[in-house]
Each structure stands twice: as structure tokens, then as C-alpha cells.
Amino acid sequence: MRSLLFAVAYWWLSLFYAILAAVLSALPGRAPMAWAIRLYTRRMLWAMRVFAGIKVELRGQERLPKGAFIIAAKHHSWGDGFVMFANVDNLAFVTGDHLERVPLLRGILRKLGAIVVDNCGGPEARRALAASAAAAHAEGRRILIYPEGALSKPGERFRYRTGVFYMSRDFNLPVVPVATNLGLFWRQTDFKKTPGTATIEFLDPIAPGLDRTPFLKRLEEAVEGRSQELIAMATGEPVRPSLLVANPNDARRKPEPAEA
């Protein structure tokens, strides 16, 4: 019953705020649209708590740097984005091109300044990512990216993509890893919700300057290690390493350039 109640609230809220955002997109500037998205995400967290019984505990906000930075987050659930947009100001985000195929969302994404890339990745996607991220950086915005490129199940991981490294290097920005166990309560896009307290935690920033391989190793170890600890804390089970699995988008993926 909780899952059904949340589903009803989810679609009503999404429809209402999508229409509101579409109307506000006609106004000059991004502020009216940003206000609507912030309100929408906070209402969604309220619905998660009231209807689905999922309370979100956000930790580590004191670790966020001043000014512009990159957030590299574990992506368990649709709920992850709600938490980020409800709690981090001036946020741009990297998303797959599947969302741009929805006519109403296309205009909203463009007005928000979302960084839309090919889900399959590869050199062309990295060039598009660099161009869009440069525009966001020029405006002093924070950038949210999910380096695995897809929703993963709790306890699993995909190979980390390199886009976050190139953004950090090119714009000289620190990267804040984010760990989560939200997938225990709302897994990926599943209808079923499990009541409980989910934890999302900002970790110590990674300063720019590392080469690609050590950067990605440090990022993955931070995100995966802490996420597995949060999962163990919530389940009472021992901490286990996350399992590397194939990314569903990798079958069509183009090869990346060799490290410079």
C-alpha cells in the first residue's frame, strides 16, 4: 500500500511541476525554473517520507567546498537526484540523452542548463560533455555527475567512466564523492519501496592534479567503499566489496581515447 500511495504522489507531483516548469521556462533567466525544481524535489522527499516511509539522512555537508565543484555520486535510485537538487544550490547535472527524447522534458532540461550526453559514452560524448560542462563552469555552477553512467543495484558497481576526471582536470575543480545506501529502500526504478532510513554522505573532496588512473581509483574506492559500509550499517550484515557487473549501455559504447 505504501508503494502505491507513493506512486500516486510521485506522478501527480511530477506532472504538476513539469507543467509549472514548462510555463516558467518562458520567463527570462534560470531563477524561476530553479525555484520550481527545488520545490519539486523537496516535495518528493516529503512524499518519500510520508507515503513510502523512507527518511533520508544527509551527512557530510560540511565537506562541500566553497564556490564551484563537481559531485561524483553513486546512483542507486531515481531518488538520488531529488536529494541532490533539494540540498545543493546552483546545480547543473549530467544526464543521458534518453530524457531529452521526452518533448516536455527537452525544453526544461535546456532551460536548466543540463549537460546532456550520449548514454553510450565514447569520444563524441566526451566532447559534448566538455562543451556543456564548460558553459556550466563559466557560470560558476556546481556539476552533478554519476560516473557509472547508469543506475546500479546495491552491492554492485559498473566501471567508472572518465568524464568526471576530464572535467576536474580541465576546469581545475575539486570532486566530492558521494556514497549512498538508498537503493536498499528504493532500488533503481522499482515500484516497490521499503520503509527505513537511507543515508547519503558527502565524502572528502579529491583535489585536482591527479592523473586519470589514480584519480579514478581513488574516486571508486571512496564511493564504493563507503557505500558498502552504509549498506552494512543498514542491514546488519558484514561489509563486502561491491561486485563489478556489465553496464547495460556498454554494448553500444565507443572506445575512449588512450590516457595522455
Side-chain angles (χ1 to χ4, degrees):
M1 180 59 73
R2 279 186 174 274
S3 298
L4 177 60
L5 289 173
F6 176 74
V8 172
Y10 175 94
W11 288 111
W12 273 109
L13 286 169
S14 296
L15 179 61
F16 174 80
Y17 281 100
I19 294 172
L20 176 61
V23 172
L24 294 177
S25 67
L27 299 179
R30 189 178 291 119
M33 173 79 74
W35 169 82
I37 297 302
R38 173 62 66 90
L39 193 58
Y40 167 60
T41 54
R42 289 181 173 178
R43 292 288 183 270
M44 288 300 298
L45 293 182
W46 170 83
M48 285 170 62
R49 184 178 70 253
V50 172
F51 298 114
I54 302 173
K55 179 183 177 182
V56 175
E57 179 184 1
L58 188 62
R59 299 178 180 177
Q61 288 171 289
E62 70 280 358
R63 297 188 176 110
L64 294 178
K66 302 296 184 182
F69 54 86
I70 299 167
I71 297 173
K74 185 71 179 173
H75 202 13
H76 273 174
S77 164
W78 275 356
D80 294 323
F82 299 139
V83 176
M84 291 296 108
F85 270 91
N87 291 281
V88 181
D89 293 327
N90 199 22
L91 191 63
F93 70 107
V94 180
T95 183
D97 55 359
H98 61 289
L99 290 182
E100 203 172 43
R101 299 187 190 113
V102 181
L104 186 60
L105 287 182
R106 186 183 303 120
I108 293 173
L109 290 172
R110 290 177 179 175
K111 188 71 172 185
L112 276 176
I115 302 167
V116 181
V117 297
D118 187 334
N119 276 324
C120 300
E124 293 178 4
R126 193 176 93 71
R127 285 192 289 270
L129 174 63
S132 298
H137 175 58
E139 297 175 1
R141 305 183 73 192
R142 288 81 178 264
I143 300 174
L144 169 64
I145 186 170
Y146 296 108
E148 294 171 277
L151 288 163
S152 62
K153 297 177 182 178
E156 295 184 352
R157 74 183 191 278
F158 302 128
R159 184 175 65 85
Y160 278 48
R161 297 182 173 184
T162 58
V164 61
F165 163 75
Y166 289 109
M167 284 196 298
S168 175
R169 185 195 67 177
D170 295 347
F171 307 137
N172 196 37
L173 290 177
V175 174
V176 180
V178 179
T180 184
N181 63 10
L182 182 56
L184 295 173
F185 310 96
W186 180 358
R187 193 176 80 171
Q188 297 172 297
T189 61
D190 287 359
F191 172 82
K192 181 182 178 182
K193 309 298 183 293
T194 302
T197 300
T199 303
I200 295 179
E201 184 173 356
F202 296 108
L203 307 176
D204 290 329
I206 302 173
L210 291 174
D211 289 335
R212 186 173 80 174
T213 298
F215 169 86
L216 290 173
K217 183 175 185 292
R218 181 172 171 184
L219 175 64
E220 182 174 330
E221 287 178 347
V223 173
E224 296 299 324
R226 186 55 179 162
S227 292
Q228 291 303 107
E229 290 175 356
L230 294 177
I231 289 171
M233 289 167 56
T235 61
E237 298 177 356
V239 179
R240 300 184 178 91
S242 56
L243 178 65
L244 180 64
V245 298
N247 189 313
N249 294 321
D250 280 351
R252 298 184 295 125
R253 184 174 172 78
K254 301 176 181 178
E256 293 184 345
E259 182 174 358

